[in-house]
């Protein structure tokens, strides 16, 4: 089977290797215990839209020897009472004379429930001496929110993506992951998944969140299998985990519905689904 490994731009924060748990997609109460249910986007206003607390909006004295390397980071936290996803941080890079020499973005492909936090990393050009976060965007249900920190303004627009409850689309059952006996990498695991539906599904991608010892997200990994999984059929998927992870969580998955010719993306943390045809 072909496998695809994609890493979000999130800095890996050092932590000892530890025992981890994986929340099965069929156990919704365990996943929901990390946060509240999705808030109503109808209630959002300019004040409540400022949902993200950023530990360091400006980072100075950047090393010029690590061009395009993600070697600086800051901690962000969802301080709202609703879930936010598709978080995009926009920042400017400055030289030693405080001139803007580049504008960049860093994407966090993890839904943050209220009071959850993550570490997000930034790359930079060779002569950057500092960076400053100037704005951020996120998705809340059927709304797209843009918060401009530089001009202290907020823009809330309708999100065109079709979002609905994921209950009838959560069709994968999963067992606890286990270590490969023949693995030289102690952080290589396998997990067995089963198609509990009556549909043929393919292009299955698991989204795994890695957390540090403080329960903060440090990275998210997409792991894909391209084989068709028939009804009631199961398969094993290998999960590489970084040495910095203290714990991992299954935070979402996607698959292709062969009959409907659609891609189904399930967010386990909000129990919402996005369907693309």
């Amino acid at each position: 089977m072909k496998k695809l490994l994609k890493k979000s731009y999130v800095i890996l924060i050092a932590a000892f290797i530890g025992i981890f748990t994986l929340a099965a997609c069929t156990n919704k109460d365990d996943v929901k215990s990390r946060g509240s249910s999705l808030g109503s986007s109808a209630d959002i206003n300019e004040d409540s839209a400022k949902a993200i607390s950023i530990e360091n909006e400006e980072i100075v004295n950047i090393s010029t020897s690590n061009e395009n390397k993600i070697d600086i980071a800051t901690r962000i936290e969802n301080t709202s009472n609703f879930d936010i996803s598709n978080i995009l941080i926009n920042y400017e890079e400055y030289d030693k004379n405080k001139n803007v020499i580049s504008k960049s973005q860093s994407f966090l492909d993890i839904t943050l429930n209220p009071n959850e936090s993550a570490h997000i990393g930034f790359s930079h050009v060779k002569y950057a001496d500092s960076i400053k976060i100037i704005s951020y965007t996120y998705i809340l249900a059927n709304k797209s929110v843009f918060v401009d920190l530089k001009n202290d303004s907020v823009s809330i627009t309708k999100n065109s993506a079709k979002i609905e409850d994921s209950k009838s689309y959560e069709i994968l059952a999963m067992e606890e992951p286990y270590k490969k006996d023949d693995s030289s990498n102690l952080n290589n695991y396998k997990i067995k998944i089963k198609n509990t539906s009556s549909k043929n599904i393919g292009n299955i991608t698991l989204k795994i969140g890695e957390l540090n010892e403080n329960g903060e997200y440090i990275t998210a990994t997409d792991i894909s299998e391209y084989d068709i999984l028939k009804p009631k059929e199961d398969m094993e998927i290998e999960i590489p985990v970084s040495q910095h992870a203290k714990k991992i969580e299954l935070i979402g998955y996607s698959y292709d519905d062969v009959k409907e010719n659609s891609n189904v993306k399930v967010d386990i943390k909000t129990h919402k689904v996005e369907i693309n045809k």
Side-chain angles (χ1 to χ4, degrees), residues 5 13 19 37 63 65 117 152 156 186:
L5 179 62
I13 308 299
I19 302 299
S37 58
S63 170
S65 61
S117 58
D152 193 24
I156 303 171
L186 296 179

Side-chain angles (χ1 to χ4, degrees), residues 96-147:
K96 290 183 177 181
N97 297 318
K98 302 302 179 184
N99 298 311
V100 177
I101 56 176
S102 181
K103 294 185 178 182
S104 306
Q105 297 177 319
S106 190
F107 180 61
L108 181 66
D109 193 16
I110 299 175
T111 294
L112 291 182
N113 298 134
N115 303 316
E116 284 189 332
S117 58
H119 291 263
I120 185 164
F122 309 96
S123 61
H124 56 84
V125 297
K126 184 175 182 180
Y127 296 104
D129 182 67
S130 63
I131 70 164
K132 186 174 184 179
I133 297 171
I134 57 172
S135 63
Y136 59 83
T137 64
Y138 62 86
I139 301 296
L140 164 62
N142 63 341
K143 299 291 185 181
S144 296
V145 180
F146 174 75
V147 178

Side-chain angles (χ1 to χ4, degrees), residues 6 11 40 76 123 136 138 179 203 205 213 230 267 273:
K6 297 182 290 184
I11 196 72
S40 171
I76 65 172
S123 61
Y136 59 83
Y138 62 86
K179 285 185 180 180
N203 193 22
T205 299
E213 68 275 15
K230 297 178 181 179
D267 186 336
V273 63

Side-chain angles (χ1 to χ4, degrees), residues 23-80:
C25 62
T26 54
N27 192 343
K28 299 180 182 179
D29 292 336
D30 289 345
V31 179
K32 280 191 174 182
S33 67
R34 290 188 55 82
S36 66
S37 58
L38 186 66
S40 171
S41 62
D43 299 332
I44 194 170
N45 55 43
E46 288 197 5
D47 290 329
S48 62
K50 298 175 182 179
I52 298 178
S53 171
I54 304 171
E55 191 170 79
N56 296 303
E57 291 187 14
E58 186 172 10
I59 302 175
V60 299
N61 299 322
I62 297 172
S63 170
T64 59
S65 61
N66 294 318
E67 182 179 6
N68 294 324
K69 183 178 179 181
I70 305 175
D71 57 357
I72 51 177
T74 193
R75 177 182 174 274
I76 65 172
E77 180 180 353
N78 177 8
T79 57
S80 74

